[in-house]
Amino acid sequence: MLRKGCGHDGDIFVKACVEASFMLNALLDIFVPPVCPLCEEAIKKGALCGDCLALFEKEKISGPFCTTCGEPFASDTGGAHRCGRCSSVDPPFVEARSAFLYEGRVRDAVHSFKYGGRVTLGVSLALLMCGTTSPPKDLDLIVPVPLHRERLKSRGYNQSLLIARAVSKIITAPLDCLHLRKTRLTADQVDLTAREREENVRGAFEADASAFKNKTVLLIDDVLTTGSTVRECSKTLSRAGARVFILTLARAASL
Ligand SMILES: [Zn+2]
Ligand SMILES: [Zn+2]
């Protein structure tokens, strides 16, 4: 039986898109020289051309950052340590990491991917994300931050699911895109303050304990801004019995 409200139709669409994009890339490589998906410069191999890669490299987060939530620190003092927020209250996840700052070419790429319908970028972004960070070992499941069914209908695809499905192929870990669901449609987070964002997503997700009990989960999202969405998803997954790690392609420079 199809589950209502979990984006099942969208999942089928996304699965078809990602499978098609892997197959199409392989076929195109035979007949047409591959091009950079961002600037269309010819490339021999890899996710992006040399120029775009260099612009991504500029935004790479290499430390120092909070050992728990990954928030970049302004200066390298005091060795590896937690930020003030993680020191005062334990976060609902084990560790969060982001590959790049949400700036420059990374920001342009996410915009094209998320709002411009460039769904095939998901594979390149996932390759860059996995090449830049070290996803935890011994994962049981990879789980994308879900979209509400109505948002999925209007956008046509869940960008986090596209990245998560490609990551699951790259690191060969199983994907679960059905058992964490967004059950309440929330206002767009863009114009909200950090506190408002937190309230906006509170109680908006549900997770099946039967799928997540005693599981180590890698939660995937495209961009982390204040972290309210991934924190709420992590709380929901933790209540369902999961140990949660978070990986995002990018994060806002200052939260
Ligand atoms: Zn390029
Ligand atoms: Zn922290």
Side-chain angles (χ1 to χ4, degrees), residues 36-39 46-62 98-114 118 120-133 163 222-223 248-251:
C36 171
L38 287 176
C39 69
L48 301 176
C49 74
D51 288 351
C52 289
L53 265 182
L55 291 171
F56 262 66
E57 191 68 22
K58 249 178 78 180
E59 311 302 343
K60 185 173 159 181
I61 299 175
S62 50
S98 306
F100 304 99
L101 288 177
Y102 188 48
E103 299 283 335
R105 184 58 59 95
V106 176
R107 196 185 180 103
D108 296 343
V110 170
H111 267 256
S112 302
F113 175 53
K114 195 166 175 176
R118 303 276 304 276
T120 53
L121 262 176
V123 174
S124 297
L125 297 179
L127 282 167
L128 288 162
M129 195 163 147
C130 293
T132 306
T133 57
I163 296 177
D222 55 343
V223 179
T248 70
L249 173 76
R251 68 181 293 148

Side-chain angles (χ1 to χ4, degrees), residues 32-44:
V32 183
V35 295
C36 171
L38 287 176
C39 69
E40 303 194 345
E41 189 74 25
I43 52 174
K44 286 203 171 72

Side-chain angles (χ1 to χ4, degrees), residues 171-244:
I171 65 172
T172 57
L175 178 79
D176 185 322
C177 53
L178 294 177
H179 299 105
L180 174 67
R181 296 175 295 277
K182 189 165 189 186
T183 50
R184 181 165 57 76
L185 188 59
T186 52
D188 199 324
Q189 302 267 72
V190 173
D191 297 320
L192 303 181
T193 63
R195 175 62 61 84
E196 287 168 342
R197 283 173 182 236
E198 231 175 277
E199 282 165 15
N200 188 37
V201 294
R202 189 170 297 141
F205 299 92
E206 69 176 34
D208 295 337
S210 59
F212 297 121
K213 196 165 193 312
N214 299 325
K215 295 285 165 65
T216 300
V217 166
L218 181 62
L219 180 68
I220 302 268
D221 206 0
D222 55 343
V223 179
L224 186 150
T225 309
T226 63
S228 55
T229 301
V230 288
R231 277 175 186 270
E232 188 63 25
C233 286
S234 298
K235 276 185 205 163
T236 309
L237 287 165
S238 298
R239 278 197 291 265
R243 283 178 81 229
V244 184

Side-chain angles (χ1 to χ4, degrees), residues 59-171:
E59 311 302 343
K60 185 173 159 181
I61 299 175
S62 50
F65 48 71
C66 169
T67 49
T68 300
C69 75
E71 183 183 348
F73 293 141
S75 60
D76 195 0
T77 53
H81 63 286
R82 282 179 144 195
C83 69
R85 185 178 185 185
C86 294
S87 301
S88 57
V89 183
D90 277 334
F93 49 82
V94 180
E95 195 178 279
R97 292 289 182 268
S98 306
F100 304 99
L101 288 177
Y102 188 48
E103 299 283 335
R105 184 58 59 95
V106 176
R107 196 185 180 103
D108 296 343
V110 170
H111 267 256
S112 302
F113 175 53
K114 195 166 175 176
Y115 305 111
R118 303 276 304 276
V119 290
T120 53
L121 262 176
V123 174
S124 297
L125 297 179
L127 282 167
L128 288 162
M129 195 163 147
C130 293
T132 306
T133 57
S134 308
K137 305 272 181 274
D138 302 323
L139 286 171
D140 293 307
L141 294 169
I142 293 187
V143 176
V145 167
L147 284 185
H148 186 271
R149 193 175 182 83
E150 292 303 315
R151 190 60 54 86
L152 191 61
K153 260 193 213 160
S154 59
R155 187 174 297 161
Y157 57 96
N158 175 357
Q159 74 285 350
S160 301
L161 174 50
L162 285 170
I163 296 177
R165 194 177 289 282
V167 168
S168 91
K169 274 182 173 278
I170 295 163
I171 65 172

